[in-house]
Amino acid sequence: MTAGGYVHNVGVLLAEVARRHPADDALVFADGRVSHADLDGATNRVARHLRSLGVGRRDVVAVYAEKELATYSVLLGAMKLGAVVTTLDDHTAHHRFLRKIRTASPAVLVVDRALPAALVDRCRQHGVRVVDLGELWHASLADDPGPLEDTALVTGTDPAYIMFTSGSTGAPKGAVMTHANLVNFAGWARQELGIGPGDVLTGVNPIYFDNSVFDLYASVLNGAAVAPISADIARRPADLVTEVERRGCTVWFSVPSLLVYLTTMRALDPDRLPTIRAFVFGGEGYPKSELRKLHDLYGERAELVNVYGPTECTCICSAHRVVRTDLGDDVGLVPLGRIAPNFACVVADEEGHDVGDGEVGELVLYGPNVGLGYYGEPELTERAFPVRPGAQPFVERGYRTGDLVRRDADGLLHFVGRADNQIKRMGYRIELEEIEAALDALPDVHEALVVHRRNGRFDQLVAIVGAAAGADPEVLAAQLAERVPAYLRPDRIRIVATLPKNRNGKIDRAGINLALVDDPDAELLPSASGAFIPDR
């Protein structure tokens, strides 16, 4: 409940926040600020214009645009109509772009710059109306900024957005999340992380990436602000840190790889980022040896929060505040923490039944943040969103994360590896992440990835290691041999300055796998920035 009554969808909550905090910042750009009242009015105007274009409840609105006021107004305005939004990668290959278009079948595709003519033609062949963002924005300025009657008709079970994710397969899948999922998620962010008026979140994540759900909705739905930062700035360490400082950000959120990169490039020191009260990171493991560096810099004055959650469950489902004792050794990763109060979970065996404390199993999540499934993929949805064992006659669906975890006696979850990265070698079951963690712990290594190459009887483990200049593969191999048994030792260690990243800033595991399959001796080069390269 809020002072304005029961909140059942994103549009109602956005309007309620604007009523209670009209003058507070909602968006903090490099060249200006937008209040909650102005953002709410802009979304109402854009929603009315989208309706005049024929967009209605449960229609899909696709967005291919930069982080601008008009872009955010389309996303939130479409939700006020009960439409479903999806954001598209502006650097993806054409065949992947068109696959997403075919899957989502949007009524409208809103773009802020010209698509290649061939792509526009293909989209139109699929019945998609392509609309220029600038023209839509200027046309909407004549519309009424007042409340929209359509908003009250939207229910919590209505889908709010489709977030495409490749996961381990490399094929894009559209995870569908509801208004209730988002409202619940925003409430969790407020209670767990204290996000509210006066906070400014770093909008460094691409808007087509799941982490952007935290940036936008954890901020504007709680009376806080987001500071949208372009990909161009995010590639330049010194400029990124300066921009975060200039905009007065209080909560940092990114993948660990970006923080590791900033630390490696010496862009961080204790005098920088003085307004940051919490560093929140998730999406991949943070090597303890690197996390210790961040803790040494900021642990005395800011919280360091490791979060975990799949795209299919509204971005985040657990949080763990890192303390110095978590970093006492370099073994494994810091805990994922306890499952959030608005979730239930099972650490499951192959039949879906809970295993005991200390045993490894797949994490299966249940609760109000679990999404509806994959858009247009009923068979894939059925496999990934199982009915909870013993739930009959009251059916409860969960989500199989594919993540292998171990729950300790205190109820903390510990990440072990991915079910799809588990291999059998020399009679042993091996999680590749276990080898990566051991490599990460070596003195000269700042990141590592292990690839399993298999071709008939040929079986090889290749470690690709981001290490200090002058690092010797033979020395690293000898150091690793002191830490792990023979069956966990890579057959080859290849050294690069920094591991290639995909557009989301994560280590490009899929791309590296493809490179090794195409050419086992291929040179693996990072981008010029060392932070982001297009995914394959």
Side-chain angles (χ1 to χ4, degrees):
M1 296 287 289
T2 71
Y6 180 70
V7 173
H8 58 282
N9 68 51
V10 169
V12 169
L13 182 52
L14 191 71
E16 173 66 11
V17 168
R19 187 189 69 79
R20 299 176 66 185
H21 307 283
D24 287 348
D25 291 335
L27 300 169
V28 179
F29 292 101
D31 57 356
R33 296 167 180 258
V34 179
S35 71
H36 281 282
D38 287 341
L39 177 62
D40 188 54
T43 60
N44 290 335
R45 287 196 299 267
V46 169
R48 285 188 167 87
H49 194 73
L50 288 171
R51 186 174 58 186
S52 74
L53 297 178
V55 175
R57 188 175 176 184
R58 298 206 170 189
D59 284 337
V60 176
V61 174
V63 179
Y64 172 86
E66 301 292 348
K67 301 171 185 176
E68 306 171 12
L69 170 59
T71 303
Y72 294 120
S73 298
V74 170
L75 297 176
L76 295 164
M79 288 186 186
K80 284 188 170 183
L81 285 176
V84 189
V85 299
T86 188
T87 48
L88 301 178
D89 182 353
D90 60 349
H91 287 83
T92 194
H94 286 190
H95 72 279
R96 288 174 61 85
F97 187 95
L98 289 170
R99 176 165 179 168
K100 293 174 183 178
I101 289 292
R102 288 194 298 270
T103 298
S105 298
V108 172
L109 169 60
V110 181
V111 301
D112 68 351
R113 57 196 175 285
L115 282 173
L119 269 182
V120 172
D121 290 342
R122 293 289 297 276
C123 289
R124 287 172 175 159
Q125 289 171 15
H126 288 286
V128 178
R129 182 174 183 175
V130 181
V131 176
D132 180 78
L133 176 64
E135 294 177 4
L136 184 157
W137 175 253
H138 288 297
S140 75
L141 294 177
D143 286 303
D144 182 0
L148 206 70
E149 63 274 13
D150 307 66
T151 304
L153 303 177
V154 179
T155 73
T157 58
D158 277 324
Y161 70 83
I162 301 169
M163 183 65 69
F164 281 97
T165 176
S166 295
S168 58
T169 66
K173 303 169 296 200
V176 183
M177 312 311 299
T178 68
H179 282 261
N181 292 151
L182 267 180
V183 170
N184 190 66
F185 171 71
W188 173 87
R190 181 175 62 253
Q191 294 170 14
E192 179 69 25
L193 299 174
I195 294 174
D199 275 321
V200 181
L201 279 59
T202 55
V204 71
N205 299 293
I207 61 171
Y208 52 80
F209 178 35
D210 180 43
N211 279 7
S212 68
V213 170
F214 180 90
D215 297 341
L216 179 59
Y217 302 105
S219 59
V220 301
L221 297 183
N222 283 316
V226 60
I229 295 175
S230 70
D232 183 55
I233 291 175
R235 292 187 185 100
R236 305 195 301 269
D239 291 346
L240 172 56
V241 174
T242 298
E243 198 63 28
V244 170
E245 289 177 340
R246 181 180 295 132
R247 301 200 206 177
C249 293
T250 62
V251 178
W252 174 289
F253 182 49
S254 75
V255 292
S257 293
L258 182 55
L259 286 165
V260 170
Y261 177 58
L262 294 176
T263 305
T264 302
M265 299 301 291
R266 301 185 185 280
L268 301 178
D269 68 56
D271 295 327
R272 304 304 304 266
L273 305 176
T275 59
I276 294 292
R277 66 172 180 82
F279 289 89
V280 184
F281 40 85
E284 60 184 356
Y286 204 142
K288 284 186 181 179
S289 57
E290 292 298 319
L291 184 51
R292 190 181 299 111
K293 296 175 185 176
L294 187 70
H295 191 278
D296 288 342
L297 290 169
Y298 301 110
E300 293 299 318
R301 65 170 175 82
E303 289 187 319
L304 275 57
V305 188
N306 183 38
V307 298
Y308 163 83
T311 300
E312 293 83 351
C313 297
T314 330
C315 190
I316 297 174
C317 68
S318 72
H320 176 73
R321 285 168 171 77
V322 178
V323 295
R324 188 71 194 187
T325 53
D326 291 325
L327 306 172
D329 58 45
D330 290 333
V331 179
L333 301 168
V334 297
L336 301 179
R338 291 180 179 82
I339 205 70
N342 49 5
F343 277 96
C345 73
V346 172
V347 181
D349 59 20
E350 293 181 358
E351 286 73 40
H353 299 292
D354 210 349
V355 301
D357 290 348
E359 297 182 47
V360 175
E362 181 182 8
L363 181 62
V364 184
L365 296 167
Y366 300 90
N369 274 25
V370 177
L372 296 178
Y374 297 117
Y375 193 74
E377 300 275 5
E379 293 182 2
L380 188 59
T381 297
E382 192 69 22
R383 292 198 298 271
F385 293 80
V387 174
R388 189 170 190 169
Q392 300 294 350
F394 304 104
V395 174
E396 180 184 11
R397 286 200 174 273
Y399 173 67
R400 295 184 58 182
T401 66
D403 291 321
L404 301 177
V405 301
R406 180 186 296 108
R407 183 170 46 209
D408 66 24
D410 295 324
L412 295 178
L413 295 175
H414 298 260
F415 181 77
V416 176
R418 285 284 304 171
D420 43 35
N421 285 338
Q422 188 183 76
I423 64 171
K424 192 168 185 179
R425 192 171 190 242
M426 299 170 61
Y428 296 94
R429 290 200 178 276
I430 299 170
E431 279 79 37
L432 299 184
E433 289 86 353
E434 184 178 0
I435 308 173
E436 292 164 4
L439 285 163
D440 284 329
L442 300 182
D444 292 331
V445 175
H446 56 260
E447 54 187 354
L449 184 140
V450 177
V451 175
H452 182 224
R453 295 179 56 227
R454 192 168 188 173
N455 183 9
R457 290 184 297 174
F458 179 75
D459 186 297
Q460 189 178 52
L461 287 178
V462 181
I464 301 95
V465 173
D472 186 331
E474 293 186 4
V475 172
L476 295 182
Q479 292 173 338
L480 186 65
E482 297 176 358
R483 296 171 177 259
V484 300
Y487 65 88
L488 291 180
R489 298 171 194 167
D491 300 285
R492 298 174 63 195
I493 295 178
R494 302 174 63 182
I495 294 178
V496 294
T498 183
L499 286 170
K501 309 297 191 299
N502 62 26
R503 291 293 301 176
N504 299 336
K506 295 183 180 181
I507 293 173
D508 189 15
R509 183 181 292 274
I512 290 174
N513 270 295
L514 288 172
L516 286 172
V517 168
D518 293 340
D519 179 3
D521 296 313
E523 190 173 5
L524 300 172
L525 297 176
S527 65
S529 71
F532 299 95
I533 63 170
D535 55 5
R536 300 168 190 263

